[in-house]
Amino acid sequence: MIELADPMALCLLPLPFLAARLLPAQDRRGRALIVPDRVAHRLLARSTERRSIYPSGDRIAHLRPWLVWIFLVLALSGPQDLSPVPALKVSGRDLAVVLDLSGSMVRDDFVLNDTPVTRLEAVQQIGADFLRRRGGDRVALIVFGSEAYYAAPFSFDTEAVAQQIEATTIGISGRATNISDGLGLALKRLADSEAETRVVVLLSDGKNNAGATNPVAVAELAASLGVRIHTIALGPRDTEDAGKEERGVVDAATLRAIADVSGGESFRVRTSADLAAVTHSIDQLEATVSAGLAAEVYRPLWLWPAAISFLLLLWHLRQDMA
């Protein structure tokens, strides 16, 4: 439905009429121009010819300024249309992605589009797609290496957080693997959350080798707070099937214990296809199907009467100059 933002502006419509009635008449006489008789006859003949061709010209000429004024005042009154917008999905869930940025994430033992890529590059592409599908969740990104910090605070802007995961680099948080601090930082923010559901998705490709706290003990704290932790063990080989001196292996057993203690699910990822499948599995575990409140916004329409007024003014000026 079309409404006026400022209907009082319509009171300006009779202003030109009142000005013409109340203001003193202006003396329109100017100085006379003396021309030869032959030129004067031609000017008079041309004027008579134009009046005969356009007999109603005076009436239209008087109407044009009024039309310009009417549409200008209509634009000033601010016509607007109240339009509904699609409802924003609201899941009532806070979801924190805790991402390992230790030095082993530079290993290029994954494949995307038939091209070898590093573990981090695979996580950046597939993880960003996962976050973009989380419409309705408040999502955050925590990264950890030797230390842990927030790369993106909790926000409904899933696109911004997805872009942040795409911009992560190795080394900004150190090259060790401090799983405990990464989880602890997520729980510190989730402890004060009023969301109905609080979830952590922990992705690591190594084993905890920094920090003073046992990651399983942090998982017990998560369970006491009602926070589920889903873990993703990333890498072709893990500590259960690799030699003691082999590097770049993931501690899948510890990650599985973290998920079990907190009531979450653990996933083993050896390829990019596995990682993509895991993100869809988490989508099913933590579905985003709740509808939020619909909203209505005003769409301004003043541009249309303003444009008509401007075009009528150009037409009026052109006719006067003709």
Side-chain angles (χ1 to χ4, degrees):
M1 182 178 67
I2 297 179
E3 301 177 359
L4 297 179
D6 187 11
M8 293 299 295
L10 297 180
C11 295
L12 297 174
L13 282 174
L15 185 60
F17 177 79
L18 295 175
R21 287 289 184 180
L22 300 178
L23 295 179
Q26 182 180 0
D27 187 2
R28 295 180 176 273
R29 291 178 299 173
R31 294 184 179 180
L33 177 64
I34 300 176
V35 296
D37 291 341
R38 182 178 297 179
V39 174
H41 286 307
R42 289 184 178 180
L43 290 175
L44 291 174
R46 184 177 178 183
S47 176
T48 303
E49 180 182 356
R50 291 185 61 185
R51 282 196 297 269
S52 63
I53 296 176
Y54 307 106
S56 61
D58 289 343
R59 185 181 304 173
I60 297 176
H62 285 298
L63 182 61
R64 285 197 300 265
W66 275 103
L67 291 175
V68 171
W69 179 251
I70 290 172
F71 281 103
L72 179 61
V73 172
L74 183 59
L76 290 174
S77 67
Q80 55 189 6
D81 182 27
L82 185 62
S83 304
V85 297
L88 173 67
K89 292 181 178 180
V90 179
S91 67
R93 180 188 296 107
D94 280 355
L95 187 148
V97 175
V98 181
L99 175 60
D100 186 347
L101 286 185
S102 59
S104 56
M105 290 289 284
V106 299
R107 292 179 177 269
D108 56 352
D109 47 13
F110 275 63
V111 175
L112 279 175
N113 300 322
D114 299 324
T115 303
V117 296
T118 66
R119 298 174 182 181
L120 177 60
E121 289 171 335
V123 171
Q124 284 175 325
Q125 179 172 325
I126 298 173
D129 291 341
F130 166 72
L131 287 175
R132 290 187 173 100
R133 297 196 301 269
R134 303 308 303 178
D137 288 350
R138 273 204 331 154
V139 297
L141 175 63
I142 296 98
V143 298
F144 68 91
S146 304
E147 306 290 340
Y149 72 91
Y150 266 93
F154 280 102
S155 170
F156 286 108
D157 191 351
T158 55
E159 176 62 30
V161 183
Q163 291 178 6
Q164 192 62 45
I165 199 173
E166 291 172 335
T168 54
T169 57
I170 302 295
I172 57 176
S173 56
R175 291 182 171 269
T177 305
N178 192 346
I179 297 175
S180 301
D181 280 8
L183 286 177
L185 186 56
L187 293 181
K188 183 178 180 180
R189 293 292 180 92
L190 288 171
D192 298 328
S193 170
E194 297 180 356
E196 297 178 3
T197 305
R198 294 169 294 172
V199 178
V200 172
V201 177
L202 168 64
L203 189 149
S204 177
D205 75 330
K207 53 186 176 181
N208 191 72
N209 55 19
T213 308
N214 186 333
V216 179
V218 180
E220 293 174 352
L221 175 61
S224 68
L225 295 173
V227 177
R228 289 193 301 272
I229 303 176
H230 302 307
T231 61
I232 301 174
L234 182 72
R237 295 175 64 79
D238 55 51
T239 54
E240 297 172 337
D241 59 16
K244 292 184 178 181
E245 302 299 325
E246 190 171 345
R247 300 174 63 85
V249 297
V250 60
D251 188 359
T254 298
L255 294 178
R256 188 163 53 249
I258 291 172
D260 291 342
V261 168
S262 66
E265 296 288 334
S266 62
F267 302 92
R268 185 68 179 90
V269 170
R270 290 181 169 84
T271 65
S272 299
D274 289 344
L275 182 58
V278 164
T279 61
H280 288 287
S281 296
I282 295 176
D283 282 340
Q284 294 177 358
L285 287 172
E286 308 292 346
T288 55
V289 295
S290 300
L293 298 176
E296 292 181 326
V297 297
Y298 282 103
R299 182 168 57 95
L301 303 175
W302 63 267
L303 183 62
W304 298 104
I308 294 174
S309 176
F310 178 71
L311 293 175
L312 287 171
L313 178 61
L314 292 180
W315 178 45
H316 180 65
L317 295 175
R318 183 176 181 273
Q319 293 298 111
D320 280 355
M321 294 174 61

